[in-house]
Amino acid sequence: MRTWITRTQPGAGRTAARLAAVGLDSLVEPVLEVRALPASADVTGFEGLIFTSPNAVARFAALSSERALAVFAVGEATAEALSDAGFTDIRTAGGDVQALAHLLAARPARRLLHLAPRQPAADLAALLEPTGIEVVVRPIYETVPVLVTTALSAPDLMAVLVHSARAARTVVEQARSRLPGLHVLALSQACADPFQGVAVKSLTVAPFPDDASLVRLAHETLPKAPR
C-alpha cells in the first residue's frame, strides 16, 4: 500500500526518500506546480529578507547573487534551502507564520523584504504592523493546480500527505471521491482545515509543522508492507 505525496517538487522527492527510509512506499503526484513570476532582484534599503518556502529561496537565488543580508526562514526546510543557496546569517522560526512573526518581532530590523508567493498563506505585513516593523511583500513565484490523474485510479493508496493549505484545497476539489478510503495526514491545522466536513478514513495533524514530523506521524500510524 502506498502513501500519496501531494507537495511540489523537489520537496516531494525528499519526502518520498524519508518515507522509504521508514518502510513506507509512496506515490509522488504533486497537485501544485511552481511557476516563476517576473520580479525585481533589488534589495536596496532592506535590513533582512523573509522566506516562507524553499520555492521562494530557489526563485530568489536564481534572480540575485545577494547572500550577505540576514535572512529569516519560516522553518527548517526553508532554512536548509537557504544554507544550500549560500546564505550564512539565517534565523529560523518554528515552522509556521505565527512563529515567524514572533521571531521577527524580537529582532531589531525595522524594514524587511518578504520574497513571497503570489498568494501568501498569511499577511506578515499586517501581523507585524503593530510592532513598527515594515514588511514589504514582493511576489516572486506562484503555485497553480495541476490535474490529478494517477492518484484517482491507483488501487493501492492508503493515505495522503498534505504540506500546504493550497494543496489541501486542491486535493478536496479534485480527489474527493478517493478520500473516504484514505488516511489524511496534514502538516499543520491550516492544512487540515479544508478537510473539515469531508468524508475521510482519518484526519491527523503532525505535532510540529515540518516534513520530518509529518513522515514520523506516517511511520507511527500507517501500516507497513511486509518485506
Side-chain angles (χ1 to χ4, degrees):
M1 300 294 284
R2 292 187 290 173
T3 297
W4 177 19
I5 301 171
T6 62
R7 72 185 302 199
T8 58
Q9 291 286 19
R14 293 193 293 269
T15 300
R18 280 188 165 129
L19 286 174
V22 297
L24 291 170
D25 295 327
S26 60
L27 167 66
V28 175
E29 186 172 23
V31 298
L32 300 173
E33 178 181 85
V34 178
R35 295 181 184 174
L37 295 175
S40 168
D42 186 10
V43 295
T44 305
F46 294 102
E47 299 168 74
L49 308 176
I50 303 169
F51 293 89
T52 48
S53 78
N55 294 324
V57 176
R59 175 61 177 142
F60 181 77
L63 284 173
S64 172
S65 61
E66 167 58 50
R67 301 293 186 271
L69 281 173
V71 291
F72 300 87
V74 70
E76 292 296 336
T78 302
E80 182 180 351
L82 286 165
S83 179
D84 291 344
F87 290 92
T88 56
D89 188 358
I90 304 168
R91 296 89 183 280
T92 309
D96 59 28
V97 174
Q98 290 293 335
L100 179 59
H102 286 302
L103 173 67
L104 294 168
R107 299 291 173 174
R110 296 291 95 186
R111 191 166 190 263
L112 301 168
L113 176 63
H114 180 196
L115 287 312
R118 186 191 291 276
Q119 297 177 305
D123 189 346
L124 268 176
L127 285 173
L128 289 166
E129 186 176 4
T131 70
I133 297 174
E134 179 188 2
V135 175
V136 176
V137 180
R138 183 181 298 168
I140 60 172
Y141 76 97
E142 64 180 347
T143 54
V144 297
V146 293
L147 187 63
V148 175
T149 55
T150 305
L152 291 179
S153 57
D156 58 346
L157 287 186
M158 65 175 170
V160 55
L161 301 189
V162 184
H163 285 74
S164 73
R166 184 83 187 278
R169 292 191 295 270
T170 304
V171 169
V172 170
E173 290 168 2
Q174 294 198 35
R176 183 183 286 263
S177 63
R178 287 304 317 270
L179 293 176
L182 299 182
H183 301 282
V184 178
L185 282 64
L187 187 77
S188 67
Q189 187 59 49
C191 299
D193 286 344
F195 295 96
Q196 300 301 326
V198 177
V200 298
K201 194 166 187 177
S202 69
L203 176 60
T204 315
V205 179
F208 302 100
D210 58 69
D211 187 54
S213 295
L214 187 60
V215 170
R216 192 176 307 116
L217 177 66
H219 174 59
E220 293 171 352
T221 60
L222 298 178
K224 267 68 71 180
R227 299 289 177 177

